[in-house]
Amino acid sequence: MAESKQLTLPITGMYCANCVSTIERNLQKVEGVQEALVNLSSERAVVRFDPARARLEDLIARVVRAGYNVAVGEAEFVLKRLSDDNDARRLEGVLLRLEGVREAHVNYASERARVRYVPTVVAQSEIRAAIGRAGFEALELGGEAEDAEALAREKETRRQAHLLRVGVILTVPLFALSMAMDLGLVPLLSAHTGWARYLMWALATPVQFYVGWQYYEGAFKAIRNGSANMDVLIALGSSTAYFYSIPAALGLIHGHVYFETAAVIITLIRLGKYLESRAKGRTSEAIKKLMGLRAKTAKIMRLGEEVEVPVEEVAVGDIVLARPGEKIPVDGIVVEGRSSVDESMLTGEALPVEKAPGSAVVGATLNKMGMLRFEATKVGKETALAQIVRLVEDAQASKAPIQKLVDQVSAIFVPIVILIAAATFAGWYFLAPPIEGQGTRAMIHMVAVLVIACPCAMGLATPTAVMVGTGRGAELGVLFRNSEALERLGRVNTVLLDKTGTVTRGQPAVTDVIVRAGSALDPDRLLWLAASLEQGSEHPLGEAVWAGATARGFELASPSGFRAEAGLGVTGDVEGHKIAVGNVRMMKAMGLSLDGMESAVSKLQSEAKTAMLVAVRDRVEGIVAVADTVKDGSAEAIAQLNWLGVQVAMISGDNSQTAHAIAKRVDIQTVFAEVLPEGKIREVERLQTAATPGARRQVVAMVGDGVNDAPALAKADVGIAIGTGTDVAMAAAPVTLMSGDLRGVPRAILLSRRTLQTIRQNLFWAFFYNVILIPAAALGFLSPVLAAAAMALSSVFVVTNSLRLRKVRLGVAETGTA
């Protein structure tokens, strides 16, 4: 199978669901294209193709042929080291060979390069790097790389705003003049005044062919491509009213002129599209906010000196400095310094995270307290933030399963509307009771049908909600790889949680320190002695003991005569005291009595804790208990899932006693213990086939760390990987929680349900609007002007309804009232 490549193209000129199908169909006609997905809300096309058979230029040419354009950015570079005009021509060739560069002009005299490029394919930093590789230097850039697409769209929005202003300036007096004539408000104006009709004709013509030219152009290209879109309906409706009015104005036929109807239709729809584009721009604010988190510059060490460079110039291995209050520019590992870092912008967690030598830091997070020096490990497109942005963009570009029905309806929507409009004209002309102006009445009702139909609302219903939902998820530390996962997660009724690393922390910690009755030692002294001895141990339980003492601020003594007894414990001397730390078997082997501590050992073991007995000078003085502790928020997360009506089960490879003890602590009733990794798949299958009380198949979400649980994550209906921002690229599951907090699971489910609810509301409105108002227009209950106003507002309603998801609160406190 040929190797495939994927590119994203920013499209301009899309207005309705038919635009989506038209562009997809045209892109798929390019030889070598394997898949083309177009998103109306984000106005982007994601194309997967064989690079040996198709080129970017072929894809762009096909988009243009279909009647649309690809947004391009412009950048200007001031150059250094150009020797002569041959250098300028050579550099032009280098730039033009870069994929994504549409035009490149290098001027030797002014030492400037002007480049037009597709911002989703090539970045300004890559263009500057290519200039450097060619042996030249770009001293400065004209504009921010991430703003190129936004600037191109802003230019298009300004053009639309200009056309709207022209339409309003001409349509308002035209409409006022028409009303004055119809109502006889001014004696000089009547329906039979010739000069007034000519004036209306003069005012309507620029609206029809300047303000509305885009609809003619779009209709022509749609028909040429064998499809019909919203442009066809608007062009037909407004042209019918306009061209009917010309012979009436010239006195060739007897009847009213409808120039104002044609102009109002175009202007109102132009207004609706302008408001819609403004609203659609806000659906991608989450992505813009994420991209805005990036640091622009970085302080790095070069030849022993601190220098400030653009963040694009940071290389892997550079030592980067981050002072208090500064953003961490790239991902790395701390080599010097201690601080707390605010990672809430990426993980959604409010509490700062402590950093010390060896800790991982993530680009775009905020250094709060101390100075950090760290080694850059990931830069550019490899940073966690860049991966997050890419994941969210991919999710927004994908199609939810529910969208397939909408696409099927949209494909036949416009032809059906044209048939209904023709039937409306025929019905009113041939079947309605005859009146004077029978043809005029039939024509007006036909125009109302043409302009009331709105495929845009249907086309925007799903993608706008998905865009806002996935963006809101990213703000909360929940990443969806595709919109199918977003849709499916809302239907989950069973959640299977892996124990280690998901419900628990995945690493042992000291939980209890107990001294025997009558002992001369207090708990702190007992722990200090045990931890001082365990400094020499490499066993995870021993490490947990000395780590627990260190966390309490104890300064430990150095042990001597340290000896480890495999499967039993350790012995040695601490400040002249003979110390032994180990299990019951070790104490019995040493001939030591437990001094009545058997019950305490049994109780700790029943709680899934490992009891480590501590003997001082051949007498058992107490117990240090170690266990894999439950994460903060795990019990709360399970309570939230139960409140949401989701069944919760836990799966673990640990023994039954330990697994049930952990489950009891967080109130999980169903436990699968002593399950090997390959056995987890069988448990997922068993849950999926178990019918619920309503005889419905279980929709199962598996939650794990994404490594050992990968097969089960893939088998579940929805896999949810628990990880951190630095592990985003490794997550194999369709949903990733960037923090390790289990409360992200009910948060993700609730967000999915809210998004699904919004999609259903949008689709209900879109279908209800068309099903009710198209017949109403056909039956003569709506004038063309009211129909145009309703059509313009319908898609605005759908987009603004989706935007409500930006404000949805999914915090812990809301679970009782959500």
Side-chain angles (χ1 to χ4, degrees), residues 680-733:
K680 292 181 180 181
I681 298 177
R682 289 193 295 272
E683 295 300 339
V684 169
E685 290 175 335
R686 194 174 69 78
L687 284 173
Q688 287 172 328
T689 54
T692 61
R696 292 184 296 114
R697 175 188 176 277
Q698 297 274 46
V699 182
V700 178
M702 170 71 191
V703 186
D705 60 15
V707 182
N708 295 329
D709 304 313
L713 288 170
K715 183 63 181 175
D717 296 286
V718 183
I720 302 176
I722 294 278
T724 63
T726 53
D727 297 326
V728 172
M730 299 163 57

Side-chain angles (χ1 to χ4, degrees), residues 638-769:
I638 280 108
Q640 292 175 38
L641 288 168
N642 288 329
W643 181 85
L644 288 170
V646 176
Q647 297 181 43
V648 183
M650 190 182 79
I651 192 165
S652 174
D654 285 346
N655 63 71
S656 181
Q657 185 182 29
T658 300
H660 278 86
I662 294 292
K664 183 178 179 181
R665 207 176 302 170
V666 293
D667 197 25
I668 294 178
Q669 306 302 319
T670 305
V671 179
F672 306 108
E674 300 178 29
V675 181
L676 297 175
E678 56 270 22
K680 292 181 180 181
I681 298 177
R682 289 193 295 272
E683 295 300 339
V684 169
E685 290 175 335
R686 194 174 69 78
L687 284 173
Q688 287 172 328
T689 54
T692 61
R696 292 184 296 114
R697 175 188 176 277
Q698 297 274 46
V699 182
V700 178
M702 170 71 191
V703 186
D705 60 15
V707 182
N708 295 329
D709 304 313
L713 288 170
K715 183 63 181 175
D717 296 286
V718 183
I720 302 176
I722 294 278
T724 63
T726 53
D727 297 326
V728 172
M730 299 163 57
V735 181
T736 301
L737 304 182
M738 292 184 58
S739 72
D741 193 333
L742 199 58
R743 285 172 291 195
V745 176
R747 190 182 298 163
I749 291 174
L750 192 54
L751 175 63
S752 176
R753 289 183 180 181
R754 292 288 177 84
T755 305
L756 273 176
Q757 183 183 36
T758 301
I759 290 173
R760 292 189 188 105
Q761 290 170 350
N762 289 347
L763 288 175
F764 172 80
W765 165 258
F767 283 107
F768 173 82
Y769 163 89

Side-chain angles (χ1 to χ4, degrees), residues 510 585 657-658 795:
V510 173
R585 283 188 297 137
Q657 185 182 29
T658 300
S795 51

Side-chain angles (χ1 to χ4, degrees), residues 736-815:
T736 301
L737 304 182
M738 292 184 58
S739 72
D741 193 333
L742 199 58
R743 285 172 291 195
V745 176
R747 190 182 298 163
I749 291 174
L750 192 54
L751 175 63
S752 176
R753 289 183 180 181
R754 292 288 177 84
T755 305
L756 273 176
Q757 183 183 36
T758 301
I759 290 173
R760 292 189 188 105
Q761 290 170 350
N762 289 347
L763 288 175
F764 172 80
W765 165 258
F767 283 107
F768 173 82
Y769 163 89
N770 285 294
V771 167
I772 297 299
L773 294 188
I774 290 176
L779 294 172
F781 296 121
L782 286 174
S783 71
V785 170
L786 288 176
M791 187 272 199
L793 292 175
S794 63
S795 51
V796 176
F797 170 84
V798 165
V799 177
T800 52
N801 188 49
S802 295
L803 286 173
R804 293 190 307 127
L805 283 169
R806 291 191 310 163
K807 305 297 182 184
V808 67
R809 296 182 60 83
L810 300 169
V812 175
E814 193 196 3
T815 56

